[in-house]
């Protein structure tokens, strides 16, 4: 069986994807900075039917990538290693952001081209490509919403889409770009390379500490989240799609979660009984810094639906599932 390579597979999105691939019996190769997956992934993943290899290396190292492909037959690639830089990091080291997020992906594609065995590449793009447009359009559509990325991270994600699809075409690789929405859920942690962790992680951490969460006054700005388990299924839909009609596909929930934050917090409160929540009174400071002050458009999910994927988890159900996962992890009782 051909292996599936996931660079950055020890990161947040990568672990969700690797877990879902192993669950369906795939041979998965993780390549990244980490020598091993974070606990409890090694013991948990060992119980799944697939086969896992973890190879430590840097996607800026072309020789290491060529060696990786030379030693095993790789049939599909998710070149997901990236630095999700916030303003301070992009100002301090813009070259590194470009080197890892763009050149690292292109180096991985070049190694895949040379191997000659790769049948599908799923490129890691992001909702960040919409940038300014996210505040100007109520629905962010792959075909009609102009990408106007703001951050260097968003610029690299757009470049990965365009350069990745172009070179894949020239090099005989079959690529699809996933515009991944803001994600939360199991396996999220600070890898030291992602400067903005999800709002849901902050809420869940406060809930686990039994704190009172004071939200900003309602109404909160519109925001589209995707649950990480849903995202993993969407990425696998892109892996499996035969002759996909679209080469750029939003993977998001297509839903504004702002009206559902209360239901999400109720789900956390049921799992972590000490937790309480309320909205701030006028003039009171929220207990949590909010991720966004302006409403954002939701992402269109018609193209993903054409490939047979729809998110399974509504907001409250996603939070309940996440809370159950956190509880099980805390009690070291993951199935
Ligand atoms: N988390 C989100 O909400 C989100 C949204 C849109 C797109 N994405 C994309 O998903 C992918 C994964 O992001 P994530 O959220 O899991 O981030 P993460 O920080 O949790 O994981 C990134 C992984 O890449 C690895 N990595 C970084 N630099 C590397 C290098 N030079 N060589 C080898 N490995 C390296 C890290 O060690 C880590 O394992 C990225 O391409 C990101 O742009 C994520």
């Amino acid at each position: 069986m051909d292996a599936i390579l996931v660079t950055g597979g020890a990161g947040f999105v990568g672990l969700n994807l690797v877990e879902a691939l192993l669950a369906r019996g795939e041979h998965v190769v993780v390549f990244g900075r980490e020598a091993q997956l974070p606990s409890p992934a090694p013991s948990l993943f060992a119980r799944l039917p697939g086969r896992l290899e973890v190879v430590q290396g840097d996607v800026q190292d072309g020789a290491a990538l060529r060696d990786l492909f030379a030693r095993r037959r790789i049939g599909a690639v998710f070149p997901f290693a990236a630095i999700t830089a916030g303003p301070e990091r992009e100002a301090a080291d813009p070259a590194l952001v470009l080197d890892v997020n763009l050149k690292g992906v292109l180096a991985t594609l070049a190694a895949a081209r040379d191997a000659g065995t790769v049948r599908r590449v799923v490129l890691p793009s992001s909702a960040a490509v919409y940038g300014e447009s996210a505040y100007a359009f109520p629905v962010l559509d792959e075909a009609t919403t102009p990408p106007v990325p703001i951050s260097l991270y968003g610029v690299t994600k757009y470049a990965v889409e365009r350069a990745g699809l172009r070179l894949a075409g020239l090099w005989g690789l079959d690529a699809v770009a996933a515009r991944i929405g803001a994600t939360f859920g199991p396996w999220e942690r600070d890898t030291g390379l992602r400067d903005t962790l999800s709002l849901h992680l902050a809420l869940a951490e406060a809930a686990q500490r039994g704190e009172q969460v004071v939200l900003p006054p309602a109404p909160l700005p519109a925001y589209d989240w995707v649950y990480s388990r849903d995202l993993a299924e969407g990425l696998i839909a892109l892996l499996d799609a035969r002759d996909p009609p679209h080469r750029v596909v939003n993977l998001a929930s297509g839903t504004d979660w702002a009206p559902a934050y209360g239901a999400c917090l109720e789900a956390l409160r049921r799992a972590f009984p000490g937790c309480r929540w309320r909205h701030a009174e006028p003039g009171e400071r929220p207990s949590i810094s909010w991720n966004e002050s302006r409403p954002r458009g939701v992402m269109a999910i018609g193209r993903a639906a054409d490939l047979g994927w729809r998110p399974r988890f509504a907001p409250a159900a996603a939070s309940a599932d996440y809370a159950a996962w956190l509880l099980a992890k805390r009690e070291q009782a993951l199935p």
Side-chain angles (χ1 to χ4, degrees):
M1 181 202 299
D2 289 355
I4 298 174
L5 171 64
V6 183
T7 75
F12 167 37
V13 169
L15 286 168
N16 281 276
L17 174 63
V18 168
E19 183 175 32
L21 290 169
L22 291 172
R24 69 172 203 173
E26 304 285 0
H27 172 191
V28 181
V29 180
V30 166
F31 180 84
R33 290 163 68 249
E34 297 86 350
Q36 56 188 13
L37 302 189
S39 176
S43 57
L44 181 62
F45 292 2
R47 295 176 217 162
L48 297 172
R51 176 176 159 221
L52 174 66
E53 283 180 79
V54 179
V55 179
Q56 191 171 24
D58 194 311
V59 292
Q60 299 170 94
D61 182 348
L65 288 165
R66 282 192 295 280
D67 185 61
L68 183 76
F69 280 88
R71 287 173 188 274
R72 51 192 69 70
R73 195 183 150 89
I74 291 174
V77 180
F78 291 86
F80 275 26
I83 298 177
T84 309
E88 281 178 24
R89 197 193 297 254
E90 56 184 350
D93 203 349
L96 184 64
V97 179
L98 294 169
D99 283 350
V100 173
N101 292 10
L102 179 58
K103 288 165 77 178
V105 172
L106 300 185
T108 310
L109 291 188
R113 170 202 61 197
D114 295 346
T117 52
V118 174
R119 61 174 173 78
R120 173 60 45 84
V121 176
V122 180
L123 296 163
S125 184
S126 165
V129 304
Y130 291 112
E132 292 291 0
S133 286
Y135 307 105
F137 294 84
V139 176
L140 310 179
D141 181 271
E142 300 95 325
T144 58
T145 308
V148 192
I150 301 166
S151 64
L152 214 49
Y153 168 78
V155 170
T156 62
K157 292 286 123 180
Y158 192 48
V160 157
E161 255 182 38
R162 300 320 307 166
L165 290 172
R166 173 68 177 162
L167 289 173
L170 294 174
W171 292 346
L173 294 164
D174 184 349
V176 188
R179 281 189 184 165
I180 299 170
T183 308
F184 82 97
W187 300 117
E188 183 173 11
R189 73 186 197 290
D190 186 359
T191 51
L193 295 173
R194 196 154 63 90
D195 293 328
T196 318
L197 300 173
S198 82
L199 176 67
H200 293 265
L201 180 64
L203 296 175
E205 284 176 343
Q208 288 180 93
R209 290 191 297 264
E211 292 175 6
Q212 167 159 264
V213 176
V214 181
L215 302 182
L220 287 161
Y223 204 87
D224 182 339
W225 292 98
V226 61
Y227 188 49
S228 58
R229 293 192 196 274
D230 278 332
L231 173 64
E233 289 178 8
L235 292 169
I236 289 176
L238 294 188
L239 169 71
D240 290 343
R242 287 201 177 186
D243 221 358
H246 313 292
R247 296 292 165 163
V248 176
V249 180
N250 286 344
L251 292 181
S253 67
T255 302
D256 171 18
W257 287 51
Y261 287 132
C264 292
L265 280 156
E266 282 303 309
L268 290 175
R269 194 179 60 77
R270 279 192 289 278
F272 306 106
C275 154
R276 288 151 297 134
W277 69 275
R278 62 178 175 82
H279 285 282
E281 303 293 340
E284 185 185 13
R285 274 175 74 94
S287 66
I288 220 150
S289 60
W290 212 247
N291 65 317
E292 185 61 90
S293 56
R294 292 184 287 167
R296 289 176 59 94
V298 298
M299 289 166 77
I301 56 169
R303 284 189 173 187
D306 288 346
L307 300 177
W309 176 78
R310 273 188 182 282
R312 283 192 294 126
F313 290 88
S319 289
D321 189 75
Y322 184 32
W325 184 87
L326 289 166
L327 270 178
K329 181 168 174 268
R330 197 163 76 174
E331 291 157 16
Q332 296 288 308
L334 278 165

